[in-house]
């Protein structure tokens, strides 16, 4: 029995949590509701991962995780692309979609999705390694959880 316990301890110590910076308003109680309602996977190959910060969740691989943070600064008026994403059988959520500034071509571009007109605001970062291999349409799976935030404005 002691050998099995030691082996389990060794295996679990190899799995580390994804380091994530906590958002300024992560302690908002709505963020806890959002995180608890998030899916355990975002489609094939993007299972949930542990994170190091409150009001966060990650999916995929520890090397290139998709990371969600609740409680980021809400966006003001913007000229960045704002899209309304319909969720399967549920509400729609407006997201401002911004590519990485330092990307040199589309295949090397990561994307940041930030809710528009919702408080607390939610941010999702999709690294280039994920965006280059699959569609970012999995963002629609986040809608039922993100919808718990208060909608104050919408995309025009």
């Amino acid at each position: 029995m002691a050998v099995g316990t030691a082996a389990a301890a060794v295996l679990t110590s190899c799995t580390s949590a994804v380091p994530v910076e906590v958002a300024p308003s992560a302690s908002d109680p709505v963020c806890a509701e959002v995180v608890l309602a998030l899916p355990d996977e975002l489609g094939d190959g993007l299972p949930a991962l542990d994170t190091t910060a409150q009001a966060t969740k990650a999916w995929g691989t520890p090397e290139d995780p998709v990371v969600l943070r609740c409680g980021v600064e809400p966006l003001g008026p913007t000229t960045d692309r704002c899209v309304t994403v319909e969720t399967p059988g549920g509400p729609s959520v407006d997201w401002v979609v911004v590519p990485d500034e330092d990307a040199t071509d589309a295949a090397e571009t990561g994307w940041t999705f930030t809710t528009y007109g919702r408080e607390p605001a939610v941010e999702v970062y999709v690294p280039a390694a994920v965006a280059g291999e699959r569609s970012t349409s999995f963002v629609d799976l986040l809608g039922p959880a993100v919808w718990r935030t208060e909608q104050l404005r919408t995309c025009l």
Side-chain angles (χ1 to χ4, degrees):
M1 187 72 163
V3 173
T5 304
V10 169
L11 289 175
T12 57
S13 67
C14 293
T15 305
S16 61
V18 174
V20 179
E21 184 178 330
V22 69
S25 297
S27 61
D28 187 312
V30 175
C31 284
E33 292 178 34
V34 168
V35 171
L36 289 172
L38 290 167
D40 288 332
E41 71 176 14
L42 292 179
D44 252 0
L46 295 175
L49 303 168
D50 292 330
T51 60
T52 60
Q54 175 181 354
T56 63
K57 188 151 186 167
W59 298 268
T61 65
E63 299 79 28
D64 290 305
V66 173
V67 176
L68 178 143
R69 299 186 318 140
C70 183
V72 298
E73 288 293 323
L75 297 175
T78 181
T79 57
D80 290 326
R81 187 172 132 213
C82 189
V83 296
T84 301
V85 177
E86 302 293 328
T87 63
S92 62
V93 175
D94 292 340
W95 298 92
V96 172
V97 184
V98 179
D100 284 347
E101 290 180 10
D102 58 346
T104 56
D105 66 42
E108 297 176 5
T109 301
W111 296 89
T112 300
F113 293 75
T114 307
T115 54
Y116 180 76
R118 291 190 171 270
E119 290 185 19
V122 175
E123 173 189 271
V124 177
Y125 180 70
V126 181
V130 173
E133 292 179 0
R134 64 181 69 229
S135 165
T136 57
S137 65
F138 57 73
V139 171
D140 69 346
L141 299 174
L142 305 174
V146 172
W147 191 74
R148 297 165 190 268
T149 61
E150 182 179 7
Q151 183 176 4
L152 303 173
R153 293 180 308 283
T154 60
C155 292
L156 295 179

